Amino acid sequence: MNAHDSEKVVGTLLARGYREVPTPEEADLVLYNTCSIRDKAEQKVFTRLQNFKREAGKGKVFAVLGCVAQQEGERIFERAPHVSLVAGSASYTRLPEMLVQLEEGNRRVTGLSLDTDETFDTPFTRRDNPHRAYITIIEGCDKSCAYCVVPFTRGPERSRTGESVLAEARRLAESGYTEIQLLGQNVNSYRDPSPAAWDFATLLARTAEVPGIRRVRYTTSHPRDFIKAIVDAMDSNPVLCNHVHLPVQSGSNRVLGAMQRLYTREQYLERIAWIKNARRKMALTTDIIVGFPGETEADFEETLTLLDEVQYDSLFSFKYSPRPNTAALAMEDKIPDAEKARRLMVLNEKQRAIQIRRNAEFIGSLEEVLVEGHNPATGQWIGRTSQNRTLNFTHPPNGGASLVGRYLNVRVTRSGPNSLAGESAANVM
Ligand code: 5AD
Ligand code: SF4
């Protein structure tokens, strides 16, 4: 989501006559788009601001955008006095007018209001990837998970109209994009604000029908709002990729309760069963936090048994990081960092073994990939399957033409913990 916010900000700047330069050293205006989901990300911003200022900051205008901007607000001016603009993502609709103030030489411009009821929709988005395009369908979050800073930094939920999402998808298809990724903190609570009042499953189905679009992905889901109709929609149109990212955070009901996740392990597993019973084979991935306050060894064991039960294809794991303005900040029974690190290692070792097994099951199969790049060091092309697996492959010499952006069938011959390898069946489509 942050990467896509950057694309929209760059597009807005370009539309106002700004020009992108190859390095920050050459820029007159330097914008930092920031993340505050965990403390480490937040600290990085301040280190970079300091270092860059010292080396090359003379005469430049600095802006801090994104979640750290929203969270720290005007305190950023104190910590980094050379910054002139501080704006959170909920204020980006006002970005053009904030730029005017900057251009007029204003030294302290802020956009920190959270009460916008609009999404940051811009026709000028400058996209980084020529084949896959992100489309924001809902911004903000109305949940209140005890560890999470997002409802505070990104504000309340606002959905875009279904028609504007489809119009953007059609425009993208016309300009050559074949893959679309629908974005939101919680896409499952999408609700079309127009009278059509589409829910997320309907929006997914409609997006998949846009001519020229061959793949549609979405992220991220909240298990509580993940309804069976989503699996049914995926089952009825193969354009909807075979992958569900369903963050569980913990396998222990006690911890899930303390996290205010609004579902139990059993309810989560019920959703997993819908996905596993789909007609197509879906990949499953998740997010897990270890060391949430009060997480006992027994609680952690339950997360490990959940991994055994679900057999995820991949997971993102994090040590709990205390965040400002969150309910968990005041909770007792903090887990020491060394213990969090140990749990993270145990979790990742278990998952690695699962991935080695799961990836090996693909050897011999034929997979369609979208080619994303080429690795000159290995001579392999880099492809991605509908299940979102990386599949590196060799291809017969074709006169040096790039395969990037093409869809190819690849025979899987080898597997590792994080990727597959194979040989293209050479029938370029
Ligand atoms: N500490 C650690 N991980 C966190 N996440 C969100 N907030 C925190 C936090 N305070 C993780 C969750 C979420 C993912 C995007 O980041 O697992 O799903
Ligand atoms: Fe954060 Fe929970 Fe909202 Fe996800 S659903 S953004 S974890 S508060």
Side-chain angles (χ1 to χ4, degrees):
M1 282 206 85
N2 257 33
H4 185 41
D5 280 350
S6 294
E7 292 181 336
K8 293 191 224 177
V9 169
V10 172
T12 305
L13 284 158
L14 290 174
R16 281 195 57 82
Y18 286 77
R19 198 164 50 83
E20 244 180 320
V21 287
T23 67
E25 285 72 18
E26 292 163 64
D28 298 317
L29 168 65
V30 183
L31 304 103
Y32 290 77
N33 186 16
T34 63
C35 170
S36 68
I37 193 94
R38 285 170 292 278
D39 189 54
K40 211 153 79 191
E42 185 183 333
Q43 293 314 324
K44 221 161 39 185
V45 180
F46 288 101
T47 320
R48 288 206 189 160
L49 267 171
Q50 288 311 329
N51 293 349
F52 189 61
K53 160 102 190 320
R54 220 173 291 131
E55 289 160 18
K58 295 247 169 348
K60 296 190 195 306
V61 176
F62 286 88
V64 177
L65 307 177
C67 289
V68 177
Q70 188 66 52
Q71 181 188 294
E72 294 301 306
E74 301 193 354
R75 281 197 296 270
I76 292 183
F77 295 135
E78 289 157 35
R79 285 177 78 174
H82 56 299
V83 171
S84 302
L85 169 66
V86 171
S89 65
S91 308
Y92 290 169
T93 42
R94 283 187 43 230
L95 206 56
E97 82 191 64
M98 291 191 279
L99 288 170
V100 170
Q101 291 178 37
L102 268 190
E103 286 155 13
E104 285 169 350
N106 211 317
R107 277 286 290 124
R108 292 278 185 267
V109 182
T110 55
L112 298 168
S113 160
L114 279 180
D115 52 34
T116 170
D117 52 5
E118 289 166 64
T119 53
F120 180 43
D121 235 343
T122 160
F124 310 119
T125 307
R126 201 277 287 119
R127 295 172 190 278
D128 294 331
N129 181 316
H131 308 290
R132 178 192 309 134
Y134 297 116
I135 302 183
T136 305
I137 61 164
I138 177 169
E139 277 175 13
C141 181
D142 286 349
K143 294 281 186 292
S144 39
C145 302
Y147 51 81
C148 186
V149 77
V150 167
F152 180 75
T153 57
R154 285 190 179 266
E157 283 175 358
R158 292 93 69 200
S159 291
R160 267 173 76 178
T161 63
E163 217 15 82
S164 82
V165 172
L166 288 190
E168 190 168 352
R170 286 187 208 109
R171 262 198 321 273
L172 288 164
E174 279 158 19
S175 49
Y177 290 91
T178 57
E179 180 172 320
I180 278 176
Q181 183 153 7
L182 302 178
L183 290 182
Q185 297 300 334
N186 177 8
V187 290
N188 312 133
S189 59
Y190 173 83
R191 175 61 67 168
D192 183 354
S194 77
W198 291 349
D199 63 5
F200 177 61
T202 309
L203 182 73
L204 258 187
R206 297 283 188 278
T207 310
E209 287 162 3
V210 171
I213 297 301
R214 294 182 65 161
R215 286 184 173 181
V216 176
R217 304 183 183 279
Y218 59 92
T219 195
T220 189
S221 289
H222 190 292
R224 159 87 167 218
D225 305 321
F226 188 90
I227 56 171
K228 175 105 181 354
I230 298 172
V231 182
D232 295 340
M234 292 171 78
D235 243 348
S236 51
N237 190 342
V239 167
L240 296 169
C241 287
N242 300 359
H243 173 212
V244 182
H245 181 65
L246 200 59
V248 68
Q249 315 298 357
S250 168
S252 148
N253 279 333
R254 219 180 51 78
V255 174
L256 288 172
M259 286 177 166
Q260 298 173 41
R261 284 292 285 178
L262 311 175
Y263 54 85
T264 61
R265 175 190 176 108
E266 293 70 29
Q267 287 165 333
Y268 179 85
L269 286 171
E270 191 187 346
R271 277 135 186 86
I272 295 293
W274 297 339
I275 299 164
K276 286 192 171 169
N277 290 332
R279 283 191 295 277
R280 279 185 293 147
K281 211 167 172 243
M282 309 275 176
L284 269 164
T285 58
T286 199
D287 293 345
I288 285 176
I289 296 176
V290 299
F292 187 76
E295 184 190 68
T296 62
E297 189 58 38
D299 291 322
F300 175 60
E301 286 291 328
E302 290 198 51
T303 298
L304 296 178
T305 61
L306 186 84
L307 261 51
D308 284 328
E309 218 163 309
V310 178
Q311 298 280 307
Y312 291 108
D313 294 279
S314 169
L315 63 77
F316 297 97
S317 56
F318 311 100
K319 292 192 277 184
Y320 166 71
S321 168
R323 305 313 293 133
N325 307 299
T326 59
L329 200 58
M331 288 182 186
E332 308 277 316
D333 291 328
K334 304 270 183 293
I335 313 293
D337 192 63
E339 178 56 18
K340 286 187 210 167
R342 188 193 67 82
R343 289 182 191 176
L344 195 68
M345 212 182 69
V346 172
L347 181 88
N348 286 335
E349 260 172 37
K350 174 173 268 303
Q351 180 57 25
R352 187 180 151 87
I354 293 174
Q355 283 178 210
I356 289 173
R357 255 198 330 273
R358 286 192 73 78
N359 283 341
E361 289 167 11
F362 283 84
I363 293 178
S365 72
L366 197 62
E367 295 286 323
E368 188 190 55
V369 299
L370 166 59
V371 186
E372 294 190 338
H374 183 251
N375 182 346
T378 60
Q380 284 175 317
W381 295 91
I382 305 159
R384 192 168 294 275
T385 69
S386 170
Q387 289 201 342
N388 209 32
R389 287 171 205 276
T390 302
L391 172 45
N392 301 308
F393 64 97
T394 52
H395 185 81
N398 58 344
S402 176
L403 300 177
V404 173
R406 314 286 285 266
Y407 287 80
L408 296 180
N409 284 329
V410 175
R411 180 75 62 193
V412 180
T413 53
R414 282 174 297 131
S415 70
N418 297 311
S419 63
L420 306 172
E423 290 155 14
S424 91
N427 52 334
V428 178
M429 288 176 287

